[in-house]
Amino acid sequence: MESAVEELMPRLLPVGDCDLAEDFDPTMPPRTPQEYLKRVQIEAARCPDVVVAEIDPKKLRKKQTVNISLTGCHPAPEGYSPTLKWQQQQVSHFSAVRQSLNKHRNHWKAQHLDSNVTMPKSEDEEGWKLFCLGKRVYSEAAIEVSGNENLGIDYIKATVTSVLEYLINWFGGKEFTPELGRWLYALLACLEKPLLPEAHSLIRQLARRCSEVRVLEENKNEERASALNLLICLVSRYFDQRDLADEPS
């Protein structure tokens, strides 16, 4: 077994038998280099050949995999590519919105939701889709959403990434709507920098999906195209994902 271990982990500095004092005690701090080397050998020999980590699955998040695609966005259809000036104006306005949000964050922390507003729990994906998009857009059967505990509005801060993920997943198979656009803009405004890896992956996924929908639009709607351009612009130019940016027309 020892030779097999040495095959996998060869010694950098082979050590032979050491001349040790008769009173050498491996449990005591080493007094000489020879005693130190002998103690290392003894401790190495006691290590098991295989070590298995004990992991508590309850402490793991349900979704930990972050998929990052290296592909960029589809170019805008002819006549719908935003100018550089327009993109710069949107970034400037968005930055002002975020500054205002941060300025008043402490005020909103102290506020409570209206009694007629039922806030879904963070992990309730279907509840959040229904809450954000409404019954008309989210056209499935009505879902009973778990009640809140009169939580402060800052409760949303802890769920920004989760709700963003829910809506982007929904958008992956559905059409773009004004309700969806407003929520995506608001969630991006609440997204804190520097971005976590999960948020980084999500906003890139959002920009790519916006570019796909923009290309697939049969009846080009200027208002919808502008909203899709805006989201791509914010992801690429405000959140520094420049490889996804629209080239100025």
Side-chain angles (χ1 to χ4, degrees):
M1 180 61 70
E2 185 176 349
S3 61
V5 172
E6 288 188 6
E7 254 183 56
L8 296 174
M9 302 177 62
R11 297 181 183 180
L12 294 179
L13 295 173
V15 179
D17 294 333
C18 300
D19 294 329
L20 301 173
E22 293 182 359
D23 62 344
F24 170 66
D25 184 353
T27 63
M28 299 297 293
R31 297 168 295 182
T32 65
Q34 290 78 9
E35 289 187 359
Y36 170 77
L37 292 174
K38 187 61 177 178
R39 183 174 179 179
V40 170
Q41 290 178 325
I42 294 173
E43 291 178 354
R46 291 173 178 170
C47 293
D49 295 331
V50 179
V51 178
V52 179
E54 294 183 3
I55 300 175
D56 183 359
K58 296 179 181 178
K59 295 182 179 180
L60 299 177
R61 292 189 55 188
K62 293 181 180 179
K63 298 179 180 179
Q64 292 195 53
T65 304
V66 177
N67 297 316
I68 299 178
S69 174
L70 300 178
T71 58
C73 287
H74 296 281
E78 185 176 354
Y80 288 88
S81 180
T83 64
L84 179 59
K85 181 179 180 181
W86 181 87
Q87 294 182 66
Q88 291 171 336
Q89 289 174 340
Q90 303 312 312
V91 169
S92 177
H93 177 71
F94 183 69
S95 179
V97 170
R98 284 173 61 91
Q99 289 176 9
S100 177
L101 182 66
N102 289 329
K103 181 180 178 181
H104 297 94
R105 190 179 297 276
N106 288 334
H107 167 75
W108 290 113
K109 274 185 182 181
Q111 306 302 310
H112 292 286
L113 297 171
D114 293 340
S115 58
N116 64 334
V117 176
T118 303
M119 183 76 75
K121 293 182 182 282
S122 176
E123 66 277 8
D124 185 2
E125 180 171 353
E126 299 305 320
W128 274 108
K129 291 175 184 176
L130 180 61
F131 181 85
C132 296
L133 302 172
K135 291 182 179 180
R136 183 182 64 82
V137 177
Y138 187 65
S139 56
E140 297 180 5
I143 299 174
E144 183 177 351
V145 182
S146 54
N148 65 11
E149 299 173 1
N150 202 18
L151 298 167
I153 292 179
D154 191 56
Y155 168 72
I156 297 175
K157 177 182 176 182
T159 65
V160 169
T161 303
S162 295
V163 178
L164 190 61
E165 180 181 6
Y166 301 154
L167 295 184
I168 291 173
N169 288 342
W170 186 88
F171 183 33
K174 303 290 193 304
E175 64 178 13
F176 184 83
T177 66
E179 295 87 348
L180 177 64
R182 286 191 289 268
W183 270 96
L184 290 173
Y185 185 95
L187 290 167
L188 290 176
C190 295
L191 202 59
E192 295 187 358
K193 296 174 74 174
L195 297 177
L196 296 173
E198 184 177 358
H200 175 272
S201 176
L202 284 171
I203 65 171
R204 290 182 64 84
Q205 181 182 340
L206 171 62
R208 289 192 298 270
R209 176 57 181 164
C210 287
S211 73
E212 291 172 2
V213 173
R214 185 176 59 181
V215 170
L216 295 173
E217 283 281 325
E218 294 182 0
N219 301 317
K220 294 294 185 285
N221 181 303
E222 288 192 11
E223 184 176 346
R224 182 175 298 182
S226 179
L228 294 168
N229 285 345
L230 174 59
L231 293 173
I232 296 171
C233 170
L234 298 180
V235 170
S236 61
R237 299 196 179 274
Y238 183 85
F239 290 103
D240 301 317
Q241 308 300 308
R242 296 306 175 92
D243 61 305
L244 303 179
D246 281 317
E247 293 298 329
S249 58

